[in-house]
Amino acid sequence: MEGHRPPHLVVMVLYDRVQTLDVSGPLDVFTVANDGGARYRLLTASPGGRPVRTLAGLRVAPDAALEDLTGRIGTLIVPGRPDWQAAVRDTRLVAQIARLAPHARRVASVCAGAFPLAATGLLDGHRVATHWKLSRALAETFPCLKVDRDSIYVRDGRVVTSAGVTAGIDLALALVEEDWGPEVARAAARHLIVFMARSGEQSQLSVRLNLDAREPLMRRVLDTVTADPGGDHSRAAMAARAGVSVRHLTRLFRTELGMTAAQFVEQTRVEAATELLQSGDDTLCVVARRVGFGSEETMRRAFRRELGVAPSAYRARFHTRHHRPERLSS
DNA sequence: CACAGCATCCGCCATC
DNA sequence: TAGATGGCGGATGCTG
């Protein structure tokens, strides 16, 4: 059923001193979402086609000049630079965004990208989001916008604006979900998270999942699982607690989360296990039991499915207690 | 590490 | 009528 759709053209606008992550985050998400296929075609373009230097000093050679782009665009993305005044004053940049936006099915901005986008006048009367530190400045500079200070992501018609540290990634994931459904978006998110494999803090996995549970009933079900991964979370048990049939619960998981009940429970348990493996000294068997796996072997299989590594390898890599300073050379 | 038994998932249809 | 929910059964895949 896939592959018959022509690729969705994503145009990333580049200009000097943009926030690198605003650019690379969405591009990485779309690339991962492609999964080797051709769902998205990515194109970077700058004023005059000149190479740009991001805020971090990364030099990027764009694919094209904004001025040369013609025809329809799927999604036009405008990243931001923290000193937004310069972007707003860049009349050439603003003019090109204004020219291209009507040809785009969707127009999106990341973080401070809302400023040059607003300078085109296209956002007037629309609800928009931006980084909370910048929301006042945005509202004062462009009084016709309805600045939403609380949301990290706002969709108003075909205009999408986003804020927050990982805004670009969240934004792109939301667009992927819109285009290809929750399953594809979820897979991409998981891929990126595994790729970034961060230790400590609360895992991004559950944060994302909980955020996405709109249905109150569903949220309660998910909370029960994450609060006590080791409990009985068979489908029958969850359905009974939620007061719905097993069939309906199954359906809710698919429509609300884009994954099955068992997948969710497994992910949650793997995630809980990674916490214990990182900071505790319990044996693998104890960890397995504690987070609800029937045996060490079951946990091993789940780790392989979810993370592609064995629990022992995970611990070897991320264990932090009794950590000796690493030698840089031998 | 193979495999029997079991849980899960989901299409299909009935019901409200 | 459309939409939400429940039950059934077979294919699939997981567990021990």
Side-chain angles (χ1 to χ4, degrees):
Chain A
M1 60 178 181
E2 285 179 15
H4 300 289
R5 245 197 272 179
H8 179 111
L9 178 62
V10 176
V11 173
M12 175 66 74
V13 177
L14 294 182
Y15 54 98
D16 279 320
R17 292 182 63 78
V18 288
Q19 189 87 50
T20 313
L21 197 57
D22 285 6
V23 175
S24 62
L27 291 179
D28 272 346
V29 169
F30 290 123
T31 301
V32 169
N34 266 344
D35 194 23
R39 292 177 174 133
Y40 296 99
R41 190 160 74 84
L42 307 179
L43 187 80
T44 56
S46 72
R50 286 188 310 276
V52 302
R53 203 177 175 94
T54 72
L55 186 63
L58 194 67
R59 264 192 280 241
V60 182
D63 300 317
L66 287 168
E67 291 82 352
D68 292 341
L69 298 185
T70 56
R72 296 202 52 74
I73 294 171
T75 304
L76 181 70
I77 303 185
V78 184
R81 61 183 279 180
D83 50 341
W84 51 269
Q85 295 91 341
V88 170
R89 277 198 307 268
D90 187 339
T91 52
R92 196 170 169 193
L93 171 71
V94 173
Q96 284 306 314
I97 295 172
R99 182 182 73 83
L100 292 171
H103 300 291
R105 212 182 81 208
R106 266 189 320 227
V107 181
S109 70
V110 185
C111 239
F115 284 89
L117 186 56
T120 65
L122 291 167
L123 298 184
D124 286 359
H126 284 85
R127 287 177 55 239
V128 300
T130 191
H131 193 280
W132 60 272
K133 271 186 182 169
L134 300 174
S135 60
R136 171 182 289 268
L138 185 67
E140 285 172 358
T141 311
F142 304 104
C144 292
L145 307 190
K146 299 172 194 158
V147 179
D148 185 332
R149 286 156 202 272
D150 301 322
S151 303
I152 58 164
Y153 170 84
V154 169
R155 163 133 223 179
D156 188 341
R158 60 191 194 95
V159 179
V160 187
T161 49
S162 64
V165 182
T166 57
I169 292 173
D170 287 328
L171 168 78
L173 285 171
L175 296 180
V176 169
E177 176 165 356
E178 193 177 300
D179 298 335
W180 296 97
E183 282 141 75
V184 174
R186 195 79 50 191
R190 227 178 309 151
H191 246 93
L192 287 170
I193 288 155
V194 170
F195 191 66
M196 297 194 259
R198 297 197 295 195
S199 58
E201 311 260 334
Q202 227 194 337
S203 163
Q204 305 300 302
L205 266 175
S206 63
V207 170
R208 276 213 71 72
L209 290 168
N210 288 336
L211 274 178
D212 287 0
R214 323 179 210 300
E215 184 76 32
L217 172 77
M218 201 56 190
R219 166 162 303 213
R220 266 186 286 123
V221 171
L222 301 188
D223 285 347
T224 312
V225 177
T226 52
D228 175 27
D232 176 7
H233 303 302
S234 67
R235 245 177 11 155
M238 286 190 285
R241 284 196 298 261
V244 297
S245 69
V246 169
R247 182 69 190 88
H248 191 55
L249 187 81
T250 304
R251 201 155 25 213
L252 283 176
F253 266 100
R254 178 141 294 298
T255 56
E256 295 296 313
L257 274 192
M259 70 174 69
T260 69
Q263 277 169 0
F264 173 76
V265 173
E266 179 169 293
Q267 273 189 23
T268 306
R269 286 177 171 161
V270 165
E271 185 195 336
T274 62
E275 303 286 332
L276 296 179
L277 291 172
Q278 281 165 41
S279 55
D281 291 309
D282 294 320
T283 64
L284 293 185
C285 182
V286 170
V287 170
R289 296 292 180 175
R290 196 163 284 174
V291 301
F293 290 114
S295 70
E296 187 182 328
E297 172 63 13
T298 305
M299 176 167 78
R300 225 197 95 261
R301 289 166 175 169
F303 262 67
R304 179 150 299 285
R305 276 191 296 267
E306 299 293 332
L307 301 176
V309 297
S312 56
Y314 187 92
R315 165 168 274 170
R317 182 144 182 206
F318 294 117
H319 190 50
T320 50
R321 194 177 296 177
H322 309 139
H323 210 57
R324 272 172 243 149
E326 282 187 32
R327 300 275 159 96
L328 292 180
S329 58
S330 52

